[in-house]
């Protein structure tokens, strides 16, 4: 009999997965899996270590939770795959407040339907990012508003969903500040004062359509990278807003590149966010794309 490890975050998002657990497990068992459930802890290192120790014993690992739960699961699986030299297939049941990556992959937001898509799906190999020693599945970012995803109280996210992030953002506007940085892309160097930067592999970030999303693919080995310069007057700020809303790039204020590697150097430590979780403070941040590193079970193939 095949074995399935079911990783569940019981506190994630607005959807209370507890009500669907019996139906989800029934779907897995009817598909021929013996199911073991693991409830995540608040300490993400504990969760990652558990997966590192046990994931290789299973034919399929399914996680249910938000973007952070997915990130944590991917991190544990990536660690163990390097040692066992084989792929561990994954499934994802999105139960978070925003579910950016799930929406990008067109995974059902109904937990029971998502479970059916996993057992009936096909294997799709998707890219994974790495910021220094930490893996991420769809976004690494710094600057304006990036701490909101992990600083917003969980009970507020569960109650209000995406609106909770908007409320936190309104309170953070007065704290905007630029960082003077030198940034290396594939064969290119730029330098300037930036209020925001993101390295992504998703159609949306924070519930909003990602800048440059029309160029992206999940398994091409490339990130979509956006750097926003510090506006020195209201006119420049308005130009930035217009560019983000219309995707008509203003090269003087917004830098957009598709690249496999990014290195960012600053004279001070900069806090980073990875997949909605705190990613550490870094003076130098090296980000790389690991092409087709994770094998996800999806209802249809992704480019």
């Amino acid at each position: 009999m095949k074995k399935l490890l079911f990783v569940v975050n019981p506190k994630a998002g607005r959807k209370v997965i507890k009500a669907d657990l019996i139906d989800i497990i029934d779907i897995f068992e009817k598909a021929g899996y013996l199911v073991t459930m693991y409830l995540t802890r608040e300490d993400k290192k504990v969760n990652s270590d558990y997966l590192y120790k046990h994931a290789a014993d299973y034919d399929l690992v399914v996680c249910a939770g938000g973007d952070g739960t997915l990130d944590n699961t991917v991190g544990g699986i990536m660690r163990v795959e390097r040692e066992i030299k084989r792929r561990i297939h994954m499934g994802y049941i999105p139960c978070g407040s925003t579910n950016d990556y799930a929406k990008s992959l067109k995974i059902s937001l109904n937990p029971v339907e998502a479970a059916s898509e996993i057992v009936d799906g096909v294997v799709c190999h998707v890219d994974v990012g790495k910021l220094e020693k930490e893996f991420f599945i769809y976004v690494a970012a710094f600057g304006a508003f990036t701490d909101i995803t992990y600083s917003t109280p969980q009970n507020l996210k569960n109650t209000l969903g995406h609106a909770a992030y908007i409320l936190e953002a309104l309170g953070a506007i007065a704290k905007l500040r630029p960082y003077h940085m030198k940034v290396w892309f594939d064969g290119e160097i730029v330098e300037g004062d930036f209020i925001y930067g993101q390295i992504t592999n998703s159609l949306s970030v924070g519930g909003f359509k990602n800048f440059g999303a029309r160029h992206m693919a999940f398994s091409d080995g490339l990130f979509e990278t956006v750097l926003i310069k510090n506006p020195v007057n209201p006119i420049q700020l308005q130009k930035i807003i217009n560019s983000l809303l219309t995707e008509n790039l203003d090269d003087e204020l917004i830098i957009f590149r598709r690249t496999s590697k990014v290195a960012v150097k600053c004279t001070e430590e900069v806090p980073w966010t990875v997949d909605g979780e705190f990613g550490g403070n870094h003076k130098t941040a090296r980000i790389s794309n690991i092409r087709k590193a994770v094998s996800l079970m999806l209802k249809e193939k992704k480019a």
Side-chain angles (χ1 to χ4, degrees), residues 104-123:
S104 297
L105 290 170
K106 297 181 180 179
I107 297 173
S108 175
L109 299 185
N110 179 298
V112 177
E113 291 180 4
S116 294
E117 290 174 0
I118 291 168
V119 297
D120 295 331
V122 293
V123 179

Side-chain angles (χ1 to χ4, degrees), residues 9-80:
N9 181 349
K11 298 181 179 179
R14 301 176 73 182
K15 290 189 178 298
V16 183
I17 193 172
K18 295 176 186 177
D20 297 310
L21 283 178
I22 292 177
D23 290 334
I24 291 171
I25 292 172
D26 184 57
I27 289 170
F28 292 154
E29 290 184 343
K30 286 180 177 176
Y33 290 99
L34 177 65
V35 180
T36 299
M37 185 183 298
Y38 170 76
L39 298 181
T40 62
R41 313 301 195 261
E42 290 188 10
D43 187 339
K44 65 178 185 179
K45 186 178 184 305
V46 172
N47 301 324
S48 182
D49 286 347
Y50 180 89
L51 283 154
Y52 171 68
K53 293 175 182 177
H54 299 285
D57 298 330
Y58 293 87
D59 301 285
L60 178 65
V61 176
V62 177
C63 68
D67 294 332
T69 305
L70 176 62
D71 170 271
N72 215 197
T73 305
V74 167
I77 285 178
M78 289 288 292
R79 286 170 61 197
V80 70

Side-chain angles (χ1 to χ4, degrees), residues 62-250:
V62 177
C63 68
D67 294 332
T69 305
L70 176 62
D71 170 271
N72 215 197
T73 305
V74 167
I77 285 178
M78 289 288 292
R79 286 170 61 197
V80 70
E81 281 186 341
R82 287 183 298 179
E83 294 187 7
I84 64 175
K85 308 298 183 184
R86 67 173 176 84
R87 289 296 182 91
I88 298 172
H89 291 173
M90 268 191 65
Y92 178 40
I93 298 176
C95 307
S97 303
T98 304
N99 301 308
D100 282 308
Y101 195 61
K103 291 175 182 176
S104 297
L105 290 170
K106 297 181 180 179
I107 297 173
S108 175
L109 299 185
N110 179 298
V112 177
E113 291 180 4
S116 294
E117 290 174 0
I118 291 168
V119 297
D120 295 331
V122 293
V123 179
C124 298
H125 305 298
V126 298
D127 298 343
V128 169
K130 189 177 184 182
L131 188 155
E132 293 299 321
K133 296 181 179 180
E134 185 163 0
F135 297 104
F136 64 92
I137 191 70
Y138 80 98
V139 61
F142 70 84
F145 310 126
T146 52
D147 65 336
I148 288 170
T149 51
Y150 59 83
S151 64
T152 304
Q154 185 64 49
N155 61 340
L156 191 61
K157 289 192 283 188
N158 290 351
T159 303
L160 299 179
H162 183 58
Y165 296 121
I166 303 298
L167 291 175
E168 289 289 309
L170 292 174
I173 288 176
K175 301 177 184 178
L176 291 181
R177 53 160 300 184
Y179 295 100
H180 187 79
M181 294 175 159
K182 184 179 286 189
V183 184
W184 287 260
F185 300 105
D186 294 336
E188 180 184 4
I189 302 175
V190 298
E191 186 171 1
D193 296 325
F194 302 102
I195 60 168
Y196 178 78
Q198 66 176 36
I199 298 95
T200 64
N201 195 45
S202 177
L203 294 175
S204 67
V205 175
F208 298 98
K209 183 181 178 183
N210 194 11
F211 193 88
R214 64 177 180 269
H215 302 285
M216 73 86 57
F218 296 99
S219 57
D220 61 356
L222 298 174
F223 294 122
E224 283 63 53
T225 299
V226 175
L227 298 171
I228 300 178
K229 294 182 179 179
N230 183 42
V232 298
N233 56 53
I235 293 175
Q236 287 191 348
L237 177 59
Q238 188 60 53
K239 284 184 177 180
I240 289 172
I241 293 171
N242 290 342
S243 284
L244 295 175
L245 291 175
T246 63
E247 287 197 69
N248 293 318
L249 181 65
D250 188 324

